């Protein structure tokens, strides 16, 4: 099972330089992949491309780019460029996004998100697989009067979706290569998420989907203090209906209840629970929440598990 980490250097004097340094450290610790979030700051495909060039062998991915406010032709160009830059080690993560960010940030109505996701994936896959698009949907048009192929990215781009709800899982199983669930504990993963996306992929005649579980967590000897901090940091997600639902399905009351916090033995046991629940890959986020020493301690353990 691949084990990776989400890298966050947004507080550094130079985010790009600091991200490369963190990625080098992650690779040295034995971690297999590095993932980059997408908000309104750094462009995650560019970060992934730079890191992939600077740190040979490390898989890189975005988790995840909202489909609202973007066009599939533009995202396909970004993804293919990152794929060529990394010689096949880039993984594109997409997300529905949230009503708050979509309507406040982009001034767009957060309407028909599942239909938009389906059309976005359909058009995007045309470009990444053939270098051209000829798609007319209800919400999106994507046509290429000139070729959109990026030499060096002929192998295509793996596409994953931050899907957790039934409809998003169905679309992802049919059209994507896997999913990127976040704050979905082993119970929700095993009982709801993995079966749904796997069944959708099977019905569409696609290979078994990748299930990349993103998990907030850190190795520490002061679990109570770190969990208190995680409770404050993760509270935002409790206000988003899709996350609130999956938190409940996981048997948790708060988002922080799903953070994996404890000593090496406790964290290793939880990683194995995710694997047993159907995760093909585990990516830890928020590893910086308890300071540098605990972050390095966490990475050391995860590197051992990756090996």
């Amino acid at each position: 099972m691949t084990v990776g980490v989400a890298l966050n250097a947004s507080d550094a004097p130079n985010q790009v330089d600091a991200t490369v340094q963190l990625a080098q450290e992650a690779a040295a610790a034995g971690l297999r992949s590095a993932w980059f979030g997408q908000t309104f700051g750094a462009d995650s495909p560019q970060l992934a491309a730079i890191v992939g060039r600077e740190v040979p062998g490390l898989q890189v991915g975005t988790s995840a780019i909202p489909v609202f406010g973007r066009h599939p032709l533009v995202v396909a160009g970004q993804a293919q460029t990152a794929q060529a830059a990394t010689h096949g080690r880039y993984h594109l993560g997409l997300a529905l996004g949230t009503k708050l960010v979509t309507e406040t940030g982009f001034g767009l109505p957060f309407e028909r998100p599942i239909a938009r996701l389906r059309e976005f994936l359909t058009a995007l896959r045309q470009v990444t697989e053939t270098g051209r698009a000829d798609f007319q949907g209800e919400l999106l048009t994507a046509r290429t009067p000139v070729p959109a192929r990026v030499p060096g990215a002929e192998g295509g781009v793996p596409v994953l979706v931050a899907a957790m709800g039934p409809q998003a899982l169905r679309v992802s199983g049919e059209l994507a290569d896997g999913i990127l669930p976040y704050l979905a504990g082993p119970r929700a993963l095993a009982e709801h998420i993995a079966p749904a996306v796997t069944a959708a992929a099977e019905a569409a005649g696609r290979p078994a989907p990748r299930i990349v579980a993103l998990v907030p967590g850190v190795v520490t000897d002061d679990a109570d203090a770190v969990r208190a901090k995680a409770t404050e940091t993760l509270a935002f997600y409790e206000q988003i209906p899709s996350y609130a639902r999956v938190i409940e399905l996981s048997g948790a009351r708060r988002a922080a209840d799903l953070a994996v916090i404890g000593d090496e033995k406790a964290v290793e046991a939880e990683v194995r629970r995710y694997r047993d629940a159907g995760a093909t890959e585990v990516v830890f986020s928020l590893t910086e929440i308890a300071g540098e020493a605990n972050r390095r301690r966490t990475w050391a353990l995860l590197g051992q598990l990756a090996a």
Side-chain angles (χ1 to χ4, degrees):
M1 179 176 62
T2 299
V3 180
V5 288
L7 301 183
N8 179 13
S10 57
D11 292 333
N14 185 305
Q15 185 173 353
V16 176
D17 290 345
T19 299
V20 170
Q21 185 175 351
L22 283 173
Q24 291 169 336
E25 187 178 337
L31 290 159
R32 304 295 179 84
S33 65
W35 295 77
F36 311 92
Q38 181 66 63
T39 54
F40 293 125
D43 182 73
S44 57
Q46 286 194 63
L47 271 182
I50 292 166
V51 167
R53 294 285 285 186
E54 294 286 334
V55 190
L58 190 67
Q59 302 288 317
V60 291
T62 56
S63 178
I65 300 173
V67 295
F68 282 92
R70 273 90 175 172
H71 192 279
L73 292 181
V74 175
V75 174
Q78 290 178 298
Q80 290 183 97
T81 302
Q83 190 68 304
T86 62
H87 295 271
R89 289 178 283 116
Y90 175 70
H91 308 258
L92 171 63
L94 299 174
L96 294 175
T98 66
K99 180 180 177 67
L100 174 65
V101 171
T102 300
E103 296 189 349
T104 302
F106 293 115
L108 299 173
F110 190 71
E111 297 174 348
R112 302 185 66 190
I114 301 301
R116 180 172 293 272
L117 175 64
R118 180 178 290 280
E119 293 190 7
F120 198 103
L121 285 169
T122 301
L124 179 111
R125 298 301 301 241
Q126 287 186 11
V127 181
T128 59
E129 292 175 3
T130 71
R132 294 181 177 274
D134 185 8
F135 177 79
Q136 177 65 61
E138 294 183 68
L139 304 173
L140 292 171
T141 297
R143 293 194 175 94
T144 49
V146 295
R149 180 181 69 89
V150 176
E154 288 84 0
V157 180
V159 180
L160 303 100
V161 179
M164 296 184 291
Q167 295 183 75
L169 289 169
R170 186 178 307 115
V171 172
S172 300
E174 293 173 4
L175 297 173
D177 299 301
I179 57 172
L180 293 157
Y182 182 57
L183 292 177
R187 176 173 155 186
L189 206 62
E191 296 179 4
H192 301 278
I193 293 174
V197 71
T198 301
E202 288 178 353
R206 294 185 58 82
R210 293 168 54 191
I211 300 175
V212 184
L214 276 80
V215 183
V218 63
V219 176
T220 178
D221 292 325
D222 195 358
D224 290 342
V226 175
R227 192 169 298 280
K229 191 170 184 180
T231 298
E232 180 180 349
T233 301
L234 297 171
F236 164 78
Y237 293 97
E238 298 162 11
Q239 312 307 314
I240 302 172
S242 59
Y243 283 102
R245 174 183 175 274
V246 80
I247 290 167
E248 182 179 359
L249 290 175
S250 299
R253 187 177 62 89
R254 302 292 303 271
D257 295 339
L258 296 169
V260 177
I261 300 170
D263 62 14
E264 281 83 356
K265 183 177 180 180
V267 171
E268 178 177 354
E270 286 301 303
V271 171
R272 297 192 184 282
R273 282 188 67 212
Y274 276 92
R275 178 197 63 190
D276 294 341
T280 59
E281 301 155 61
V282 173
V283 175
F284 263 51
S285 68
L286 222 62
T287 59
E288 70 281 357
I289 194 172
E292 285 295 287
N294 285 319
R295 177 187 63 76
R296 292 191 178 97
R297 186 176 167 188
T298 305
W299 288 16
L301 172 67
L302 296 177
Q304 292 172 16
L305 297 178

